[in-house]
Amino acid sequence: MARIQAVLQFIEENLEQDLTLEMLAEISNFSKFHFSRIFSAIIHKTPMTYLTERRLHHAVTYLTTTNKTMLDISSLCGFTSVSSFNSSFKKRYKTTPSAMRRTMQEHSNIPLIYGNNLEDLSLSKNYDLNSKNNNFLRRVWDMNIEVKELPGYQVAFARHIGSYLETHKAWETLGKWAQENGIPREQYFIGISLDDPSVTDEQFCRYDACITLPEGFSAESGSGIAFKTLSGGQYALYKFYDTIDKLAIAYQSVYGGWLPNSDFEPDDRHALEFCMNDPYTDPEGKAKVDLYIPIKRTLS
């Protein structure tokens, strides 16, 4: 995808700058939420992890080919201090910058493993739609992804903050309220993951457990219950049936596999997870989810 390639190039040319997730998202022309998901799905690393690795890659080059001081190298590679440079370097290479420099000076014939070069991550190489493999993958995705138009929904919801593997707490709160207020069972149950766990600490991830409301329904919010409107529009539907912990892989597959090769791009609405069964009563313990990813047609 050209937009992600532009971000990779921008990172490479501005390593010494104070780059933020918001800044990189702006370069991509995606919202911060969608940018993080798309970047991670395509590059298989979060934007900030990739940025740190590229900085360290250049730091190794400086260490082994120049006599620059640690302060100079840390500054040239965008680290805020020598201590943060040392910490990141040791975490990545299991040694200190000074120790690596000494080792390379003593054993100059030992090749270094630099990690992925920018060329290895070329999107034109990984997503060549003229290749037989990608044509096959695209046909598979076309059979499994359906573009649909959804109406807007009035919903009641209970919010969970914490691990997405513990959202049952919000569903229990919502289920109790729905039963007390006589909400028909044929209403839709919709989950909304408001944060990307790859960039937001697990304990701060927000999730809304929602139920659609019958037309004309009126009620006061109960304990832990609020109301809102979900925007309608165009969505890519992927029918998921597996254990709930694999739903994150489904997101990654749609954002990194289908979307870059489609005629669409993500729209600035939240993805909707229509819960089609109760995984706790499923014979295989699996969740059946109609995953709707908000999209809009790419401008040519």
Side-chain angles (χ1 to χ4, degrees):
M1 183 179 284
R3 295 195 204 178
I4 300 301
Q5 185 69 65
V7 173
L8 299 182
Q9 192 63 43
F10 180 80
I11 288 174
E12 206 69 15
E13 295 172 355
N14 295 275
L15 288 171
E16 76 285 0
Q17 302 298 322
D18 181 18
L19 304 181
T20 64
L21 185 62
E22 289 79 4
M23 188 183 300
L24 298 180
E26 186 175 347
I27 295 297
S28 74
N29 202 29
F30 290 125
S31 68
K32 185 174 75 170
F33 180 82
H34 287 306
F35 165 66
S36 178
R37 281 198 181 278
I38 293 171
F39 189 99
S40 299
I42 293 175
I43 305 302
H44 306 298
K45 298 171 184 174
T46 67
M48 303 317 287
T49 296
Y50 175 83
L51 171 60
T52 299
E53 289 185 0
R54 294 308 301 164
R55 284 173 166 163
L56 291 173
H57 170 88
H58 283 265
V60 170
T61 302
Y62 283 125
L63 285 169
T64 57
T65 62
T66 75
N67 291 319
K68 294 183 183 297
T69 66
M70 297 302 162
L71 178 60
D72 288 340
I73 294 174
S74 65
S75 178
L76 285 168
C77 295
F79 291 95
T80 56
S81 66
V82 174
S83 61
S84 66
F85 169 48
N86 285 334
S87 177
S88 296
F89 195 97
K90 190 170 184 179
K91 183 177 180 180
R92 171 71 172 168
Y93 295 110
K94 312 304 179 186
T95 188
T96 65
S98 299
M100 177 177 282
R101 172 174 273 176
R102 285 195 301 271
T103 299
M104 294 309 298
Q105 289 173 344
E106 293 170 1
H107 309 282
S108 59
N109 61 329
I110 299 178
L112 274 175
I113 299 176
Y114 289 105
N116 290 322
N117 292 319
L118 185 63
E119 293 78 12
D120 297 330
L121 296 172
S122 170
L123 297 180
S124 61
K125 183 182 298 182
N126 291 333
Y127 294 94
D128 179 7
L129 295 182
N130 293 320
S131 73
K132 291 182 179 179
N133 286 340
N134 277 315
N135 282 334
F136 171 75
L137 289 173
R138 185 165 188 172
R139 289 198 303 272
V140 171
W141 277 112
D142 286 343
M143 288 188 291
N144 287 279
I145 297 288
E146 181 183 355
V147 175
K148 295 194 67 173
E149 191 82 20
L150 288 183
Y153 294 105
Q154 296 293 325
V155 300
F157 69 96
R159 176 160 295 181
H160 167 77
I161 300 178
S163 170
Y164 284 156
L165 297 179
E166 299 177 353
T167 58
H168 62 88
K169 299 175 182 177
W171 286 114
E172 289 169 2
T173 298
L174 182 67
K176 181 180 179 181
W177 176 88
Q179 188 175 32
E180 291 173 350
N181 285 270
I183 304 296
R185 294 183 63 84
E186 60 267 21
Q187 296 301 121
Y188 291 122
F189 293 87
I190 304 171
I192 305 176
S193 301
L194 298 170
D195 297 294
D196 181 353
S198 67
V199 297
T200 302
D201 287 343
E202 184 178 48
Q203 60 180 324
F204 299 120
C205 285
R206 299 165 300 154
Y207 176 91
D208 286 347
C210 310
I211 186 170
T212 57
L213 298 174
E215 187 175 351
F217 179 84
S218 178
E220 295 183 2
S221 60
S223 177
I225 299 296
F227 302 96
K228 64 180 175 180
T229 301
L230 305 184
S231 300
Q234 206 166 40
Y235 288 82
L237 166 61
Y238 175 67
K239 291 183 177 293
F240 171 87
Y241 180 62
D242 211 321
T243 54
I244 196 65
D245 59 299
K246 293 186 176 65
L247 188 58
I249 299 175
Y251 270 100
Q252 186 181 55
S253 297
V254 177
Y255 278 105
W258 178 79
L259 200 55
N261 298 327
S262 73
D263 296 323
F264 301 92
E265 60 183 75
D267 194 22
D268 287 338
R269 290 168 282 140
H270 288 292
L272 305 178
E273 303 163 12
F274 279 65
C275 305
M276 310 305 289
N277 76 336
D278 181 354
Y280 295 103
T281 60
D282 185 81
E284 299 183 55
K286 294 180 178 180
K288 183 181 290 185
V289 176
D290 282 358
L291 177 59
Y292 286 87
I293 302 295
I295 56 174
K296 59 183 177 182
R297 191 165 291 278
T298 303
L299 297 177
S300 55

